[in-house]
């Protein structure tokens, strides 16, 4: 008599959101990459205060 593999009776299935959420995140990141070519760099006068702070720190650390 041949041994039969043990079956636990559990059926493993993915929920709908386990596929939909990564697909939506991928689509959103892809859209950011595709539309990123239209972005313009800000002039120094248009920078936000946080950007100016980061620039100041960068200038202080780099000789």
């Amino acid at each position: 008599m041949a041994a039969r593999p043990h079956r636990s009776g559990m059926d493993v299935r993915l929920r709908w959101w386990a596929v939909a959420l990564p697909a939506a995140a991928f689509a959103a990141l892809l859209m950011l990459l595709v539309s990123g070519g239209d972005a313009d760099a800000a002039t120094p006068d248009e920078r936000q205060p946080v950007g100016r702070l980061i620039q100041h720190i960068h200038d202080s650390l780099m000789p």
Side-chain angles (χ1 to χ4, degrees):
M1 178 180 263
R4 292 181 9 193
H6 180 66
R7 298 186 78 189
S8 64
M10 291 177 52
D11 187 20
V12 178
R13 296 186 328 178
L14 288 175
R15 303 264 183 192
W16 66 269
W17 49 264
V19 175
L21 288 179
F26 176 77
L29 290 173
L30 186 63
M31 291 303 295
L32 285 173
L33 285 173
V34 170
S35 66
D38 298 335
D40 294 328
T43 62
D45 296 334
E46 296 173 342
R47 287 189 190 137
Q48 299 297 324
V50 175
R52 281 185 277 181
L53 176 65
I54 292 172
Q55 184 65 38
H56 179 71
I57 293 169
H58 180 267
D59 292 341
S60 298
L61 294 175
M62 295 298 162

